[in-house]
Amino acid sequence: MAVVERIRTLDSIREKVVAGERLDLEDGLALMETDDLLGLGELADLARRVRGGNDEVYFIQNLYLNQTNVCRVKCKFCAFARTERQDGAYTFTPEQMVEDALEQHALSRFTEIHMVGGEHPGLTLDYYVDVVRSLKRALPDVHLKCFTASEIHHMTKLSGLSHEQVLVELKAAGLGSLPGGGAEIFADRVRRLVAPGKEHPDTWFHVHRTAHGLGIPTHCTMLYGHVETYEERIDHLLRLRDLQDETGGFLAFVPLAFHPENTVFERRGWKFTSGDDDLKMIAVSRLVLDNVEHVKAYWIMISTPLAQVALHFGANDIQGTVVEEKIAHAAGAVTPTEEKVEALVRVISEAGRVPVQRDTFYRELRRWPGRAEAVAS
């Protein structure tokens, strides 16, 4: 009887998906609680296609930069941050950032820089503006996706300016978009447990809403697999959906699997998320976030083999080459610190999809034939 009930639950949600009806909190909980993982994946892939998706899977050539790992916040899930006096603490100058970026660009010709870092209490807004301006002058054709909402908020405290004023200055210097980091889980209960020193989730929303109003697109994320409940996961997704209804400013959603290594959670016995939970989270995200076109299978955190499977669970983006990624690896990621274009093309093709290299705004730069097209030719 239990199996029959699970099938009926997915069937009723399937009817809503086909009819273009929105899923609610109860639907999301039913999806999170189902044991029918393959049925859930098939349903998420159906939702992707019903909403206009096809066999194209996107990736980007990008460079990851971290301007500093010095941070005033003691997030319990973070293995990256340092205090100024700790071994391994660093803060790069704008000149050093440019030198590194130019050296890497000569090797890979990336089209996007993804830059985030710690909330260094000793920096100024001028430092951040100078970093952005220097990178844009050195690489004018490269898109700069820089700074989490938490970092933007930190800049307001350093400068005494508003979120809007800070974003206006950064945009004038060359900022193109914001990543989605700092969201973690929006539930107050979870926030108090994992990031007690971080700003209220309303601040994250205010920064992103303000950015959207200024014509700065952003991304959205969720860090899952620590102390949150299924209900708190779905609530998080519904809040993102509401803001996307209001502004339309999110380019993509990125589910981030929690990595406990070198954090207090490892000492308390936490393990890495399981593959079925990763796939379930991607599928449910696709189903609930009906107004966010792109859902990423972030291979750096879940591995390329699982990312291939995720392409059949609602994901349509495999992120990018991710050169020099440090934050996930500080927390125990065992994936490479980058992937070559050829490797990502192979990963996507072997999953039966069509590889498309994109820019930040999902404009096509290059495409390869999918497996079926390759065989036919």
Side-chain angles (χ1 to χ4, degrees):
M1 180 62 72
V3 173
V4 172
E5 288 303 317
R6 287 198 297 271
I7 293 173
R8 286 175 179 168
T9 297
L10 289 184
D11 282 348
S12 64
I13 294 176
R14 176 188 296 270
E15 291 174 3
K16 294 179 77 169
V17 168
V18 172
E21 297 178 22
R22 292 207 125 160
L23 305 188
D24 57 23
L25 177 64
E26 292 303 318
D27 294 325
L29 289 175
L31 293 170
M32 291 301 313
E33 292 168 356
T34 185
D35 294 328
D36 186 3
L37 186 61
L38 293 180
L40 177 62
E42 189 273 334
L43 184 56
D45 196 58
L46 172 65
R48 184 182 60 78
R49 293 184 183 278
V50 165
R51 297 166 190 165
N54 51 34
D55 284 341
E56 294 177 346
V57 169
Y58 298 94
F59 71 92
I60 191 169
Q61 280 192 273
N62 54 353
L63 171 70
Y64 272 40
L65 294 178
N66 308 110
Q67 72 278 5
T68 183
N69 65 350
V70 175
C71 192
R72 63 167 191 87
V73 189
K74 304 296 188 294
C75 295
K76 297 179 180 179
F77 57 81
C78 181
F80 172 74
R82 299 288 185 273
T83 64
E84 286 188 83
R85 297 184 179 182
Q86 273 185 298
D87 290 342
Y90 66 82
T91 301
F92 294 123
T93 66
E95 293 75 21
Q96 289 171 317
M97 301 285 284
V98 167
E99 182 180 2
D100 185 17
L102 287 173
E103 182 179 327
Q104 293 296 333
H105 193 257
L107 297 173
S108 65
R109 315 305 293 181
F110 55 80
T111 61
E112 176 188 278
I113 289 176
H114 177 122
M115 181 169 61
V116 298
E119 297 182 25
H120 194 310
L123 296 177
T124 66
L125 176 59
D126 288 342
Y127 166 83
Y128 292 99
V129 172
D130 196 15
V131 167
V132 172
R133 182 182 294 116
S134 298
L135 287 169
K136 195 63 180 178
R137 284 175 177 170
L139 295 165
D141 296 328
V142 172
H143 181 94
L144 301 183
K145 181 172 75 173
C146 307
F147 311 130
T148 66
S150 298
E151 290 175 274
I152 299 297
H153 185 61
H154 178 58
M155 293 176 210
T156 67
K157 292 194 285 187
L158 294 173
S159 64
L161 301 178
S162 67
H163 292 148
E164 181 173 3
Q165 290 170 318
V166 166
L167 287 166
V168 166
E169 286 204 31
L170 291 170
K171 182 180 181 181
L175 177 75
S177 64
L178 299 185
E184 326 316 353
I185 295 286
F186 295 135
D188 290 340
R189 181 193 72 86
V190 175
R191 204 76 163 198
R192 287 193 298 270
L193 290 172
V194 304
K198 213 160 199 175
E199 68 281 349
H200 192 273
D202 287 350
T203 300
W204 188 96
F205 280 97
H206 188 265
V207 171
H208 282 263
R209 181 180 287 108
T210 302
H212 298 169
L214 293 170
I216 302 171
T218 73
H219 301 72
C220 52
T221 64
M222 176 199 297
L223 182 71
Y224 67 92
H226 39 92
V227 303
E228 83 286 355
T229 64
Y230 281 165
E231 184 168 356
E232 287 163 338
R233 290 187 188 184
I234 301 302
D235 173 72
H236 185 105
L237 294 175
L238 292 175
R239 293 198 212 185
L240 292 175
R241 191 173 75 180
D242 287 345
L243 182 57
Q244 183 73 336
D245 278 346
E246 178 186 335
T247 68
F250 290 133
L251 290 171
F253 173 70
V254 194
L256 301 172
F258 174 56
H259 282 32
E261 193 170 297
N262 300 319
T263 73
V264 297
F265 287 99
E266 181 185 30
R267 297 193 290 275
R268 296 173 183 174
W270 260 253
K271 305 296 183 184
F272 290 91
T273 56
S274 62
D276 62 335
D277 196 27
D278 294 329
L279 293 173
K280 181 175 284 190
M281 195 65 249
I282 288 169
V284 174
S285 300
R286 169 59 73 188
L287 287 158
V288 173
L289 291 176
D290 53 39
N291 54 1
V292 179
E293 185 174 356
H294 305 290
V295 174
K296 295 186 181 183
Y298 191 28
W299 66 263
I300 205 84
M301 284 184 156
I302 65 172
S303 79
T304 48
L306 193 61
Q308 284 182 305
V309 180
L311 299 181
H312 296 273
F313 277 68
N316 70 329
D317 189 309
I318 205 166
Q319 182 56 339
T321 50
V322 193
V323 178
E324 294 192 345
E325 199 286 328
K326 296 176 182 176
I327 295 178
H329 284 85
V334 296
T335 50
T337 56
E338 70 172 287
E339 284 284 9
K340 302 298 185 186
V341 168
E342 295 76 13
L344 293 180
V345 169
R346 184 181 67 251
V347 165
I348 295 168
S349 295
E350 289 177 353
R353 299 295 194 231
V354 177
V356 177
Q357 183 179 341
R358 62 173 176 85
D359 68 5
T360 302
F361 300 102
Y362 285 86
R363 293 177 296 218
E364 180 181 322
L365 300 179
R366 185 182 176 189
R367 111 179 2 242
W368 288 258
R371 174 181 286 180
E373 295 167 302
V375 170
S377 62

